Amino acid sequence: MRFALLMALGAASIYACSSPTGVTTANSCGSSGASANIGATDGLVFSPSAATIAHGQSVCWQNNGNISHTVTTNDGNSISASLTPGHILLHTFPTAGSYPYRCTIHAGMTGTITVN
Ligand SMILES: [Cu+2]
């Protein structure tokens, strides 16, 4: 895990002048095509904390602050990802249901995605 991270950082340094790929650096939720955009803020909240989408649609979380967060669904299966400053997380929900989630770093930083 640590090795992989170092390799990723190395690659990012080497290819800093090329276009970013994936769902992290230099992307924004505004152009992601997600049906709901949620900010993870330095005030330690998800804003908005509740969002509703249809199944098959996606949610985009964006961290515009300086504090790292995670997006971790309480079911432990749907999402478990870090959301570091300047990055986004794009996730598609194929199945209807209620998906409460939290930031594992900051107690009380919670939200819910309702998928119809
Ligand atoms: Cu947090």
Side-chain angles (χ1 to χ4, degrees):
M1 189 65 183
R2 178 163 298 184
F3 178 74
L5 177 60
L6 289 172
M7 290 300 291
L9 291 171
S13 303
I14 292 168
Y15 298 109
C17 291
S18 63
S19 299
T21 57
V23 295
T24 53
T25 306
N27 287 328
S28 82
C29 282
S31 58
S32 71
S35 298
N37 296 334
I38 299 172
T41 79
D42 283 358
L44 308 185
V45 295
F46 291 109
S47 179
S49 62
T52 300
I53 62 170
H55 67 277
Q57 294 183 333
S58 56
V59 173
C60 186
W61 286 266
Q62 184 159 358
N63 184 346
N64 284 326
N66 298 304
I67 299 172
S68 288
H69 303 288
T70 77
V71 176
T72 308
T73 46
N74 294 355
D75 66 12
N77 295 315
S78 299
I79 310 175
S80 180
S82 62
L83 186 61
T84 51
H87 289 184
I88 69 170
L89 172 66
L90 187 63
H91 184 80
T92 301
F93 288 84
T95 307
S98 178
Y99 297 85
Y101 66 94
R102 65 193 188 279
C103 169
T104 58
I105 300 169
H106 304 113
M109 186 173 177
T110 63
T112 302
I113 306 300
T114 301
V115 181
N116 292 322

